Amino acid sequence: MDFAPQDISDIELVGLARTAMKRAHCPYSKFPVGAAILTESGDTILGCNVENASYGGTICAERSAIVSAVSQGHTKFRAIAIVTGLSKPASPCGLCRQFLVEFGNYKVVVGTASNSQILVTSTLELLPYAFTPESLDTFEQEKASESSAVEENTVSARS
């Protein structure tokens, strides 16, 4: 897959995700995660996991970064880097994969805090057959076509 040009390298983006990981609030799992997202305009926005005693209130680093970016007016992204403390790159959870692909197909760089190993993929490669905003657009178009066909049949039957 060809990705849009970046203002910073994958390694630099991973470095920013490592910085974000140090800010993680994870008193329950003790598993810090950091993310750095590169917006279409070239801004980088950080996110980290923030756990909550009510586990359902926890937010992952990837979603934290995207929520922060959207709150700052960004909805188009070139890349996201995600870092954990594991010795091998760890893929985002299923919920985060769905959350990431909501904003299109862009580069995903998964790294570690302990070495230089990285995995480069994309949002659509992480979640093949994704349910996206386009899925809803298709549904609306199909529904509109179906309604038109029913109206035509009704008019024809009355004639």
Side-chain angles (χ1 to χ4, degrees), residues 3-4 6 11 20-21 24 30 39 41 49 51 53 61 73 76 81 100 104 112 114 119 132 135 137 144 146-147 149:
F3 296 106
Q6 291 179 206
I11 300 301
M21 187 179 117
K30 311 283 192 261
T39 69
S41 63
N49 56 322
E51 295 179 349
K76 296 193 184 299
L100 293 171
T112 75
S114 59
L119 168 71
T132 65
S135 302
D137 293 341
E146 193 176 283
S147 292

Side-chain angles (χ1 to χ4, degrees), residues 32-106:
V33 181
I37 195 158
L38 177 63
T39 69
E40 188 175 74
S41 63
D43 294 327
T44 53
I45 297 169
L46 306 184
C48 61
N49 56 322
V50 180
E51 295 179 349
N52 189 283
S54 168
Y55 293 130
T58 293
I59 186 167
C60 298
E62 301 91 314
R63 289 183 287 138
S64 173
I66 287 184
V67 167
S68 184
V70 169
S71 71
Q72 294 176 47
H74 303 282
T75 57
K76 296 193 184 299
F77 306 110
R78 292 191 219 167
I80 187 168
I82 304 150
V83 172
T84 72
L86 295 173
S87 61
K88 292 184 180 180
S91 181
C93 72
L95 180 58
C96 284
R97 291 176 190 208
Q98 182 64 47
F99 210 85
L100 293 171
V101 81
E102 172 75 14
F103 296 94
N105 190 28
Y106 48 93

